[in-house]
Amino acid sequence: MAIVLLIRHGHSSANAAGVLAGWTEGVGLTDTGRTQAERVAARLAPLDVARAFSSPLQRCRETVALALPGLEASTDDRIGECHYGAWTGRPLSEAAKDPLWRTIQDDPAAAVFPPSEQYAAESLGEMAARVVGGVRALDAQVEEEHGKSAVWVAVSHGDPIKAVVAEAVGAGVAGLQRVRVDPGTVTAVHVTSTRMVLLASNTAEGELAPLVATPKDHAPGDSTVGGAAG
C-alpha cells in the first residue's frame, strides 16, 4: 500500500527522430531529455524516496541517474517498454498508415504487434498485465522493506505508464488511449490492497509532497465521498 511515482523517461533520440524505439539499444536522452530529468530531480529532492526501479533500457537508466543521483536504482524488465516486434524502429508517420494503428487507437485490447526475428512481440493486453503486475509486486516489496507510507519511484515508458493509469481509473486496456503521458513527467499512484488510486497524472511541474500524503481519516483504498477536503 505504498505510493509509486511513475516517471516517464526524458525526451530521447527516438522521440526526436519520430520512431518507435521499443527495445532498440542505444537510445539515449537528448539535451531536452536531460533537462527534463534534472527538473524531476528538483521535484523529488524534498521527498524521502525509499527505492527506485528502472526499465533496463538506456533512456530510463539515464533518466533515473539524473533524477535520483543519490539513490542506486534496480532495473526490472517488468516495467520495461512494450515489445513492439516488427514495429520496433518504425517511423511513427509510417505506422500511422498501417491498419493496426486504428486497432491500437480504437480497440487497444485487441492490438497485437507483429512478430519479428530480432525483437519480441506482445499484445497491449499482455504488456499491461506485465506492467501492472510488476508494479504491484514491486510495491509489495517496498512496503515490506520500508512500511506502508513509503514512497518509491519507477522510471518507465509511455505505454506502460498509461497502462497503470488506465488500471487505476478502472478503464483497463480498453481505456489505454484515453491517457497521455509525456516525456519527463511524473504520475502518482497509491497501490492499495483493494485497488490502485490515481493521485495525479502527467505532471511536469509542481510540488509532489501533497500528492504522497496518505489519508488519515479513512482506508487508503477508499476515496472521500464528495471529494477530499484538501
Side-chain angles (χ1 to χ4, degrees):
M1 291 189 290
I3 292 175
V4 57
L5 298 176
L6 297 149
I7 300 169
R8 185 181 174 192
H9 62 78
H11 187 263
S12 73
S13 56
N15 295 141
V19 300
L20 189 64
W23 285 72
T24 305
E25 295 291 340
V27 176
L29 298 182
T30 63
D31 288 343
T32 297
R34 285 185 281 274
T35 298
Q36 290 169 337
E38 290 166 354
R39 187 179 302 127
V40 172
R43 299 179 70 196
L44 292 176
L47 304 182
D48 182 14
V49 177
R51 289 290 305 275
F53 298 91
S54 171
S55 159
L57 293 166
Q58 178 181 332
R59 53 200 184 273
C60 288
R61 290 186 282 106
E62 290 181 358
T63 298
V64 75
L66 290 169
L68 285 165
L71 189 64
E72 185 176 352
S74 303
T75 58
D76 197 299
D77 285 358
R78 291 173 294 185
I79 57 172
E81 179 64 285
C82 182
H83 292 284
Y84 294 117
W87 272 38
T88 304
R90 193 175 188 185
L92 290 169
S93 58
E94 176 187 305
K97 301 173 184 176
D98 192 303
L100 179 58
W101 182 273
R102 285 268 42 99
T103 303
I104 294 168
Q105 304 304 318
D106 302 333
D107 187 15
V112 181
F113 291 97
S116 160
E117 292 184 3
Q118 186 175 3
Y119 296 103
E122 65 186 341
S123 68
L124 286 175
E126 290 169 331
M127 178 276 295
R130 164 172 61 82
V131 175
V132 170
V135 167
R136 287 195 177 280
L138 291 172
D139 188 84
Q141 178 183 331
V142 171
E143 181 184 336
E144 182 177 357
E145 295 172 352
H146 300 279
K148 293 182 179 181
S149 60
V151 177
W152 62 284
V153 162
V155 180
S156 187
H157 307 264
D159 280 341
I161 296 174
K162 286 160 62 177
V164 176
V165 173
E167 172 70 17
V169 299
V173 184
L176 192 72
Q177 298 296 47
R178 297 175 181 265
V179 180
R180 176 170 170 169
V181 178
D182 294 315
T185 57
V186 180
T187 292
V189 173
H190 195 173
V191 183
T192 79
S193 58
T194 55
R195 60 176 68 89
M196 290 181 171
V197 178
L198 180 65
L199 305 176
S201 179
N202 201 37
T203 70
E205 57 185 19
E207 293 184 36
L208 295 172
L211 300 178
V212 299
T214 54
K216 295 180 172 56
D217 55 351
H218 57 78
D222 296 342
S223 290
T224 304
V225 177

